[in-house]
């Protein structure tokens, strides 16, 4: 049985049936949790968003027969990698399908800070005509992208269209399209020191946990804007808050946080130099269409015993 515990539109279920000859059983997790848990234990293939896994899906079942999990979310840090390895379960994601919308989200934050749209919006709410708010341009500025995968490359491409210089940080530095230079992750502080905007788009793993720390913020310009569109725990959030309060950096655009939803007591809510969005960078009405097209292609390969696209290395976690 192919089971989706994510709600899939009927036309996309039909598209998969037409392309593969196979039917998908849908039982949305939050609407019918008990039934979904029962079906997961019987299914061969599972389609899921991240949230059921984050809510303890695999802690609630004793056993499963899954041969393949197709994650509709790129981040899979909450998956039970040891259980999947023991079971021999394949895990794949929609990596690369959200590069356009995530990169647009990142650029929108950069433009908002450059043109001070957040401050102008606050003035609008107060009916204040304030022409004294200073504005800037992206043209000629240096963007540092931590993570030179598909989202990083797409962000670099868009930034180049704005006339920016783009540098990257990666574990394995190599010549990459639309990057002027790529630094080794061990030299990231040198990259941060010359950047006007620093964007993080890496997966959360043991190696990337708190990779952006107090030393990172100390290395940045006091005019720098920091943007996180990866996972909250890639950042030491306390160090970020301290950097914003003490003006080590000029501002931050944040889509992800250590704890989500962001707690009401967090000082980030009230900071005038912060733009917050509720983990929406990856959202797009086109994403589920792209995802199910990829699933259909992957299913045909899976049935042939071939490697599916975006298969996760369960030892590395990405």
């Amino acid at each position: 049985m192919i089971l989706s515990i994510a709600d899939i539109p009927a036309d996309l279920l039909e598209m998969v049936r037409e392309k593969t000859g196979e039917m998908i059983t849908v039982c949305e997790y939050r609407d019918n949790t008990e039934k979904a848990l029962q079906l997961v234990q019987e299914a061969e293939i599972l389609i899921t968003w991240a949230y059921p896994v984050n809510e303890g899906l695999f802690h609630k079942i004793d056993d499963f027969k899954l041969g393949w999990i197709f994650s509709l979310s790129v981040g899979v840090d909450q998956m039970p990698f040891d259980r999947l390895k023991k079971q021999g379960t394949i895990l794949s994601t929609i990596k690369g399908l959200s590069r356009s919308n995530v990169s647009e989200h990142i650029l929108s934050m950069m433009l908002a800070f450059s043109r001070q749209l957040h401050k102008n919006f606050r003035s609008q709410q107060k009916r204040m005509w304030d022409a004294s708010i200073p504005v800037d341009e992206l043209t000629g500025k240096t963007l540092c992208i931590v993570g030179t995968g598909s989202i990083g490359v797409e962000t670099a491409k868009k930034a180049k269209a704005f006339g920016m210089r783009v540098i990257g940080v990666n574990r394995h530095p190599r010549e990459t399209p639309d990057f002027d230079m790529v630094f080794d992750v061990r030299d990231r502080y040198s990259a941060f020191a010359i950047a006007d905007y620093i964007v993080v788009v890496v997966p959360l793993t043991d190696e990337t946990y708190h990779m952006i720390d107090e030393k990172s913020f100390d290395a940045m310009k006091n005019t720098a804007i920091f943007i996180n569109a990866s996972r909250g725990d890639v950042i030491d959030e306390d160090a970020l808050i301290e950097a914003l309060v003490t003006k080590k950096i000029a501002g931050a655009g944040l889509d992800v946080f250590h704890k989500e939803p962001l707690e009401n007591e967090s000082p980030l809510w009230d900071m005038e130099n912060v733009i917050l969005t509720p983990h929406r960078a990856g959202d797009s009405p086109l994403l589920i269409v792209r995802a199910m097209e990829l699933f259909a292609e992957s299913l045909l390969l899976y049935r042939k015993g071939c490697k599916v696209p975006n298969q996760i290395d369960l030892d590395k976690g990405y």
Side-chain angles (χ1 to χ4, degrees), residues 196-252:
D196 300 294
Y197 293 85
I198 298 94
V199 169
V200 180
V201 283
V202 296
L204 176 60
T205 65
D206 290 341
E207 293 180 345
T208 63
Y209 178 83
H210 282 195
M211 74 175 295
I212 309 298
D213 51 11
E214 182 179 2
K215 185 177 178 181
S216 301
F217 294 115
D218 287 342
M220 296 176 192
K221 299 178 181 180
N222 60 11
T223 54
I225 300 297
F226 174 77
I227 296 172
N228 187 12
S230 56
R231 284 293 181 269
D233 281 337
V234 172
I235 315 305
D236 181 338
E237 199 166 282
D238 290 337
L240 169 62
I241 290 170
E242 195 262 343
L244 290 164
V245 170
T246 59
K247 301 192 184 306
K248 289 181 183 179
I249 60 174

Coordinates of all heavy atoms in Angstrom, one line a residue, residues 196-252:
D196 N 28.0 41.9 3.6 CA 27.0 42.9 4.1 C 25.7 42.1 4.4 O 24.9 42.6 5.3 CB 26.7 43.8 2.9 CG 27.9 44.6 2.6 OD1 28.4 45.4 3.4 OD2 28.4 44.5 1.4
Y197 N 25.5 41.0 3.8 CA 24.3 40.1 4.1 C 24.9 38.7 4.3 O 25.7 38.2 3.5 CB 23.3 40.1 3.0 CG 22.6 41.5 2.8 CD1 23.2 42.5 2.1 CD2 21.4 41.7 3.4 CE1 22.5 43.7 1.9 CE2 20.7 42.9 3.3 CZ 21.3 43.9 2.6 OH 20.7 45.1 2.4
I198 N 24.4 38.0 5.3 CA 24.8 36.6 5.6 C 23.6 35.8 5.6 O 22.6 36.0 6.4 CB 25.6 36.4 6.9 CG1 26.9 37.2 6.9 CG2 25.9 35.0 7.1 CD1 26.8 38.6 7.5
V199 N 23.5 34.8 4.7 CA 22.3 33.9 4.6 C 22.7 32.5 4.9 O 23.7 32.0 4.4 CB 21.7 34.0 3.2 CG1 20.6 33.0 3.0 CG2 21.1 35.4 2.9
V200 N 21.9 31.8 5.7 CA 22.2 30.4 6.1 C 21.1 29.5 5.4 O 19.9 29.7 5.7 CB 22.2 30.2 7.6 CG1 22.5 28.8 7.9 CG2 23.2 31.1 8.2
V201 N 21.6 28.5 4.6 CA 20.6 27.6 4.0 C 21.3 26.2 4.0 O 21.5 25.6 3.0 CB 20.3 28.0 2.6 CG1 19.2 29.1 2.6 CG2 21.5 28.4 1.8
V202 N 21.6 25.7 5.2 CA 22.2 24.4 5.4 C 21.2 23.5 6.2 O 20.4 24.0 6.9 CB 23.5 24.4 6.1 CG1 24.6 25.2 5.3 CG2 23.4 25.0 7.5
P203 N 21.3 22.2 6.0 CA 20.5 21.3 6.8 C 21.0 21.2 8.2 O 22.1 21.5 8.5 CB 20.6 19.9 6.1 CG 22.0 20.0 5.5 CD 22.2 21.4 5.0
L204 N 20.1 20.8 9.2 CA 20.5 20.7 10.5 C 21.0 19.2 10.7 O 20.3 18.3 10.5 CB 19.3 20.9 11.5 CG 19.5 20.7 13.0 CD1 20.7 21.6 13.5 CD2 18.3 20.8 13.8
T205 N 22.3 19.2 11.1 CA 22.9 17.9 11.4 C 23.8 18.1 12.7 O 23.9 19.2 13.2 CB 23.9 17.4 10.3 OG1 25.0 18.4 10.2 CG2 23.1 17.4 8.9
D206 N 24.4 17.0 13.1 CA 25.3 17.2 14.3 C 26.4 18.2 14.0 O 26.9 18.9 14.9 CB 25.9 15.8 14.7 CG 24.9 14.9 15.3 OD1 23.8 15.3 15.7 OD2 25.2 13.6 15.3
E207 N 26.9 18.2 12.7 CA 28.0 19.1 12.4 C 27.5 20.6 12.2 O 28.3 21.5 12.4 CB 28.6 18.6 11.0 CG 29.3 17.3 11.1 CD 29.9 16.9 9.8 OE1 29.5 17.5 8.8 OE2 30.7 16.0 9.8
T208 N 26.2 20.8 11.9 CA 25.8 22.2 11.7 C 25.1 22.8 12.9 O 24.8 24.0 12.9 CB 24.9 22.3 10.5 OG1 23.7 21.5 10.7 CG2 25.6 21.8 9.2
Y209 N 24.8 22.0 13.9 CA 24.2 22.5 15.1 C 25.0 23.6 15.7 O 26.2 23.5 16.0 CB 24.0 21.4 16.2 CG 23.4 21.8 17.5 CD1 22.0 21.9 17.6 CD2 24.2 22.1 18.6 CE1 21.4 22.3 18.8 CE2 23.6 22.5 19.8 CZ 22.2 22.6 19.9 OH 21.7 23.0 21.0
H210 N 24.4 24.8 15.8 CA 25.0 26.0 16.4 C 26.3 26.4 15.7 O 27.2 27.0 16.3 CB 25.3 25.8 17.9 CG 24.1 26.0 18.7 ND1 24.1 26.2 20.1 CD2 22.8 26.1 18.4 CE1 22.9 26.3 20.6 NE2 22.1 26.3 19.6
M211 N 26.4 26.1 14.4 CA 27.6 26.5 13.6 C 27.7 28.0 13.5 O 28.8 28.6 13.4 CB 27.6 25.9 12.2 CG 26.6 26.5 11.2 SD 26.8 25.8 9.5 CE 28.4 26.3 9.1
I212 N 26.5 28.7 13.6 CA 26.6 30.2 13.7 C 26.4 30.5 15.2 O 25.4 30.5 15.8 CB 25.4 30.8 12.9 CG1 25.4 30.3 11.4 CG2 25.5 32.3 12.9 CD1 26.6 30.6 10.6
D213 N 27.6 30.9 15.7 CA 27.7 31.1 17.2 C 28.1 32.5 17.5 O 28.2 33.4 16.7 CB 28.6 30.1 17.8 CG 30.0 30.0 17.0 OD1 30.2 31.0 16.2 OD2 30.8 29.1 17.3
E214 N 28.5 32.7 18.8 CA 28.9 34.0 19.2 C 30.1 34.5 18.4 O 30.2 35.7 18.0 CB 29.3 34.0 20.7 CG 29.7 35.3 21.3 CD 30.0 35.3 22.8 OE1 29.9 34.2 23.4 OE2 30.3 36.3 23.4
K215 N 31.1 33.6 18.2 CA 32.2 34.0 17.4 C 31.9 34.4 16.0 O 32.5 35.3 15.4 CB 33.2 32.8 17.3 CG 34.5 33.1 16.7 CD 35.5 31.9 16.7 CE 36.8 32.2 16.0 NZ 37.7 31.0 16.0
S216 N 30.8 33.8 15.4 CA 30.3 34.2 14.1 C 29.8 35.6 14.1 O 30.2 36.4 13.2 CB 29.2 33.2 13.6 OG 29.7 31.9 13.6
F217 N 29.0 36.0 15.1 CA 28.4 37.3 15.1 C 29.5 38.3 15.4 O 29.5 39.5 15.0 CB 27.3 37.4 16.1 CG 26.1 36.5 15.7 CD1 25.7 35.4 16.4 CD2 25.4 36.8 14.5 CE1 24.6 34.7 16.0 CE2 24.3 36.1 14.1 CZ 23.9 35.0 14.9
D218 N 30.5 37.9 16.2 CA 31.6 38.8 16.5 C 32.4 39.2 15.2 O 33.0 40.3 15.1 CB 32.6 38.2 17.5 CG 32.0 38.2 19.0 OD1 31.1 38.9 19.2 OD2 32.5 37.4 19.8
A219 N 32.4 38.2 14.3 CA 33.2 38.4 13.1 C 32.5 39.3 12.1 O 33.1 39.9 11.2 CB 33.5 37.1 12.4
M220 N 31.2 39.4 12.2 CA 30.4 40.2 11.2 C 30.5 41.7 11.4 O 30.8 42.2 12.5 CB 28.9 39.8 11.3 CG 28.6 38.3 11.0 SD 26.9 37.9 11.2 CE 27.0 36.1 11.1
K221 N 30.3 42.4 10.3 CA 30.2 43.9 10.4 C 29.1 44.3 11.2 O 28.0 43.7 11.3 CB 30.0 44.5 9.0 CG 31.1 44.2 8.0 CD 30.7 44.8 6.6 CE 31.7 44.5 5.5 NZ 31.3 45.1 4.2
N222 N 29.2 45.5 11.9 CA 28.1 46.0 12.7 C 26.9 46.5 11.8 O 25.9 46.9 12.3 CB 28.5 47.0 13.7 CG 29.1 48.3 13.0 OD1 29.1 48.5 11.8 ND2 29.7 49.1 13.9
T223 N 27.2 46.6 10.5 CA 26.2 47.0 9.5 C 25.5 45.8 8.8 O 24.7 45.9 7.9 CB 26.8 47.9 8.4 OG1 27.9 47.2 7.8 CG2 27.2 49.2 9.0
A224 N 26.0 44.5 9.2 CA 25.5 43.3 8.5 C 24.1 42.9 8.8 O 23.6 43.2 9.9 CB 26.5 42.2 8.8
I225 N 23.4 42.3 7.8 CA 22.1 41.8 8.0 C 22.3 40.2 8.0 O 22.8 39.7 7.0 CB 21.1 42.2 7.0 CG1 21.0 43.8 7.0 CG2 19.8 41.5 7.1 CD1 20.4 44.3 8.3
F226 N 21.7 39.6 9.0 CA 21.8 38.1 9.0 C 20.4 37.5 8.7 O 19.4 38.0 9.3 CB 22.2 37.7 10.4 CG 22.2 36.2 10.6 CD1 23.2 35.4 10.1 CD2 21.2 35.6 11.3 CE1 23.2 34.0 10.3 CE2 21.1 34.2 11.5 CZ 22.1 33.4 11.0
I227 N 20.4 36.5 7.9 CA 19.1 35.9 7.5 C 19.2 34.3 7.6 O 20.1 33.7 7.1 CB 18.7 36.2 6.0 CG1 18.5 37.7 5.9 CG2 17.5 35.4 5.6 CD1 18.3 38.2 4.5
N228 N 18.2 33.7 8.4 CA 18.2 32.3 8.5 C 17.0 31.7 7.9 O 15.9 32.0 8.3 CB 18.3 31.9 10.0 CG 18.4 30.4 10.2 OD1 18.7 29.7 9.3 ND2 18.2 30.0 11.5
A229 N 17.2 30.9 6.9 CA 16.1 30.2 6.2 C 16.4 28.7 6.2 O 15.9 27.9 5.3 CB 15.9 30.7 4.8
S230 N 17.1 28.2 7.2 CA 17.4 26.8 7.3 C 16.7 26.1 8.4 O 15.5 25.7 8.2 CB 19.0 26.6 7.4 OG 19.4 27.3 8.6
R231 N 17.3 25.9 9.5 CA 16.7 25.4 10.7 C 17.1 26.2 11.9 O 18.2 26.7 12.0 CB 17.1 23.9 11.0 CG 16.4 22.9 10.0 CD 14.9 22.9 10.3 NE 14.2 21.9 9.5 CZ 13.6 22.2 8.3 NH1 13.7 23.5 7.8 NH2 13.0 21.3 7.6
G232 N 16.2 26.4 12.9 CA 16.5 27.2 14.0 C 17.8 26.9 14.8 O 18.6 27.8 15.2
D233 N 18.1 25.6 15.0 CA 19.2 25.2 15.8 C 20.5 25.2 15.0 O 21.5 24.8 15.6 CB 18.9 23.8 16.4 CG 18.0 23.9 17.6 OD1 17.9 25.0 18.2 OD2 17.3 22.9 17.9
V234 N 20.5 25.6 13.8 CA 21.8 25.9 13.1 C 22.4 27.1 13.8 O 23.6 27.3 13.7 CB 21.6 26.1 11.6 CG1 22.9 26.6 10.9 CG2 21.2 24.8 11.0
I235 N 21.6 27.9 14.4 CA 22.0 29.2 15.1 C 22.0 29.0 16.6 O 21.1 28.4 17.1 CB 21.1 30.3 14.7 CG1 20.8 30.3 13.2 CG2 21.6 31.7 15.1 CD1 22.0 30.3 12.3
D236 N 22.9 29.6 17.3 CA 22.9 29.8 18.7 C 22.0 31.0 18.9 O 22.4 32.1 18.8 CB 24.2 30.0 19.3 CG 24.2 30.2 20.8 OD1 23.2 30.5 21.3 OD2 25.3 30.0 21.4
E237 N 20.7 30.8 19.2 CA 19.7 31.8 19.2 C 20.0 32.9 20.3 O 19.8 34.1 20.2 CB 18.3 31.3 19.4 CG 17.2 32.2 19.1 CD 15.8 31.5 18.9 OE1 15.6 30.9 17.9 OE2 15.0 31.6 19.9
D238 N 20.5 32.4 21.4 CA 20.9 33.3 22.5 C 22.0 34.3 22.0 O 22.0 35.5 22.3 CB 21.4 32.6 23.8 CG 20.2 31.9 24.5 OD1 19.1 32.3 24.3 OD2 20.5 30.9 25.2
A239 N 23.0 33.7 21.3 CA 24.1 34.6 20.8 C 23.5 35.6 19.8 O 24.0 36.7 19.7 CB 25.1 33.7 20.2
L240 N 22.5 35.1 19.0 CA 21.9 36.0 18.0 C 21.2 37.2 18.7 O 21.4 38.4 18.3 CB 20.9 35.3 17.1 CG 20.0 36.1 16.2 CD1 20.8 36.9 15.2 CD2 19.0 35.2 15.5
I241 N 20.4 36.9 19.7 CA 19.7 37.9 20.4 C 20.7 38.9 21.0 O 20.5 40.1 21.0 CB 18.8 37.3 21.5 CG1 17.6 36.5 20.8 CG2 18.3 38.3 22.5 CD1 16.8 35.6 21.8
E242 N 21.8 38.4 21.6 CA 22.8 39.3 22.2 C 23.4 40.1 21.2 O 23.7 41.3 21.4 CB 23.8 38.4 22.9 CG 24.7 39.2 23.9 CD 26.0 39.6 23.3 OE1 26.4 39.0 22.2 OE2 26.7 40.4 23.8
A243 N 23.7 39.6 20.0 CA 24.3 40.4 18.9 C 23.4 41.5 18.4 O 23.8 42.6 18.1 CB 24.6 39.4 17.7
L244 N 22.0 41.2 18.4 CA 21.1 42.2 18.0 C 20.9 43.3 19.1 O 20.8 44.5 18.7 CB 19.7 41.5 17.7 CG 19.6 40.7 16.5 CD1 18.4 39.8 16.5 CD2 19.6 41.5 15.2
V245 N 20.9 42.9 20.3 CA 20.7 43.9 21.4 C 21.9 44.8 21.5 O 21.8 46.0 21.7 CB 20.5 43.1 22.7 CG1 20.6 44.1 23.9 CG2 19.1 42.4 22.7
T246 N 23.1 44.2 21.4 CA 24.3 45.0 21.5 C 24.8 45.7 20.2 O 25.8 46.3 20.2 CB 25.5 44.1 22.0 OG1 25.7 43.0 21.1 CG2 25.1 43.6 23.4
K247 N 24.0 45.4 19.1 CA 24.2 46.0 17.8 C 25.6 45.6 17.2 O 26.2 46.3 16.5 CB 24.1 47.5 17.9 CG 22.8 48.0 18.4 CD 22.6 49.5 18.1 CE 21.2 50.0 18.7 NZ 20.1 49.3 18.2
K248 N 25.9 44.3 17.5 CA 27.1 43.7 16.8 C 26.7 43.6 15.3 O 27.6 43.6 14.5 CB 27.4 42.3 17.4 CG 28.0 42.3 18.8 CD 28.3 40.9 19.2 CE 28.8 40.8 20.6 NZ 29.1 39.4 21.0
I249 N 25.4 43.4 15.1 CA 24.9 43.3 13.7 C 23.8 44.3 13.6 O 23.2 44.6 14.6 CB 24.5 41.9 13.2 CG1 23.4 41.3 14.1 CG2 25.7 41.0 13.2 CD1 22.9 40.0 13.7
A250 N 23.4 44.7 12.3 CA 22.4 45.7 12.2 C 21.0 45.1 12.2 O 20.0 45.8 12.5 CB 22.6 46.4 10.8
G251 N 20.8 43.8 11.9 CA 19.5 43.3 11.8 C 19.4 41.8 11.5 O 20.5 41.3 11.1
A252 N 18.3 41.2 11.5 CA 18.1 39.8 11.2 C 16.7 39.5 10.6 O 15.7 40.1 11.1 CB 18.3 38.9 12.5

